[in-house]
Amino acid sequence: MQEEEIELFLEYTLDICRKMVESGAEARRVESTAAYMTSAYGFELRCANAMNAMVEISIKAPNGHHYTQASRVMMTGTDLGKLERLNDLARKICAEHPDVKTIGQWIQAERKFAYPVWMELVGYITMTFGFTLFFGGTLMDSLASALISVVVFALNFLLNRYIQASQNKLFYTFFACFLSGCLALTMVRFGFGAHADKIMIGDVMIFIPGLNIVNGVREMFYRDIITGLYRLIEALMLAVAITAGFGIAILAFGGVLV
């Protein structure tokens, strides 16, 4: 490879790794992907560091020159479908050894992939409906929970599309939980549902940072202490925002669940 191609290849590798972090991948998986991709093209991986806030890769080329690039991770979430596609893309690159231009085309194709809006909405509705029933809610409670999830989905969709609320996930989580709590209590007071607590339990499942907690604990066991602490602290802050949002909604309606 020419020097410009090496720089571009490293940029594409970094882009794949960054998107894996954004999709909820643990640090060890991202760093392993960087190692496999660079070694497949004859580079020696000198450093691969993946965190929720940044990904950095440093390689040594066969000509003896060192190349280092880093990328800031602006937002993280959970998208296991995207993570699976990125894993498949990395394996395909390692197996077929395409030129740098082809790698860029494959990455562009991945960027254009998007789930239909209706499919995401169905996910929100079925999850909240099912969890409300599971935790003892009535059919009417489940319907109320599903309707609130439609409002939360619309809020998430509009904010992320127009003002990128994902840049301030803490505030968004607090506001969405407060709104969900107010809607649940209002519905029960008007007779649409009988148990506000069961409705809230169904809706709170949208916000629980379960994957962050699991990955944080795993990374602590893998001795990725800083990355694990980062994830656990972020999960704790989101848990506080969830509690505050629903708690203030309950206090605003008299401090007692209907």
Side-chain angles (χ1 to χ4, degrees):
M1 284 186 183
Q2 301 295 324
E3 184 168 348
E4 290 183 359
E5 291 179 315
I6 295 175
E7 291 282 3
L8 197 56
F9 171 77
L10 184 56
E11 179 182 334
Y12 290 151
T13 302
L14 186 66
D15 189 51
I16 291 173
C17 292
R18 176 177 56 81
K19 290 181 181 300
M20 291 178 69
V21 173
E22 292 175 352
S23 302
E26 63 271 22
R28 182 167 292 249
R29 173 179 293 191
V30 177
E31 292 165 2
S32 296
T33 299
Y36 288 133
M37 289 183 64
T38 53
S39 63
Y41 282 79
F43 299 108
E44 180 184 349
L45 182 68
R46 305 297 291 177
C47 175
N49 183 28
M51 298 177 61
N52 271 26
M54 186 190 72
V55 180
E56 179 183 9
I57 301 175
S58 179
I59 60 174
K60 181 179 179 181
N63 59 15
H65 293 173
H66 290 74
Y67 300 86
T68 301
Q69 290 187 20
S71 177
R72 176 77 184 274
V73 178
M74 298 303 297
M75 59 182 179
T76 57
T78 302
D79 190 339
L80 299 182
K82 183 176 182 179
L83 181 57
E84 183 178 0
R85 295 195 306 273
L86 290 168
N87 280 327
D88 291 341
L89 177 58
R91 294 189 188 101
K92 186 177 180 181
I93 292 171
C94 292
E96 299 183 13
H97 298 85
D99 56 38
V100 175
K101 183 178 179 181
T102 303
I103 295 176
Q105 292 172 348
W106 289 352
I107 291 177
Q108 285 295 330
E110 165 57 32
R111 285 175 181 168
K112 294 178 181 178
F113 181 90
Y115 292 109
V117 175
W118 66 266
M119 186 179 294
E120 296 183 42
L121 178 59
V122 168
Y124 272 67
I125 292 173
T126 54
M127 179 171 65
T128 53
F129 185 92
F131 273 115
T132 302
L133 277 181
F134 178 80
F135 286 106
T138 64
L139 182 61
M140 191 63 72
D141 293 335
S142 299
L143 289 174
S145 181
L147 285 175
I148 294 172
S149 73
V150 174
V151 176
V152 174
F153 172 79
L155 179 68
N156 181 59
F157 179 78
L158 292 173
L159 289 179
N160 280 293
R161 183 166 183 174
Y162 293 109
I163 64 174
Q164 295 189 352
S166 53
Q167 302 296 333
N168 196 337
K169 186 187 293 185
L170 197 64
F171 175 76
Y172 163 75
T173 301
F174 166 77
F175 179 74
C177 289
F178 173 74
L179 179 62
S180 298
C182 290
L183 289 174
L185 290 163
T186 301
M187 285 183 168
V188 172
R189 288 200 175 185
F190 281 94
F192 195 89
H195 308 93
D197 56 333
K198 302 299 189 296
I199 298 173
M200 290 183 186
I201 288 173
D203 288 312
V204 78
M205 293 302 170
I206 300 173
F207 307 101
I208 297 296
L211 189 62
N212 256 5
I213 296 173
V214 172
N215 283 345
V217 172
R218 287 182 62 182
E219 282 158 355
M220 295 286 282
F221 281 112
Y222 287 146
R223 297 178 64 189
D224 292 326
I225 305 299
I226 296 177
T227 306
L229 282 175
Y230 190 107
R231 289 188 189 274
L232 290 175
I233 291 172
E234 182 183 27
L236 177 62
M237 292 174 66
L238 288 175
V240 171
I242 293 168
T243 305
F246 281 103
I248 293 175
I250 294 170
L251 290 174
F253 277 74
V256 179
L257 286 176
V258 180

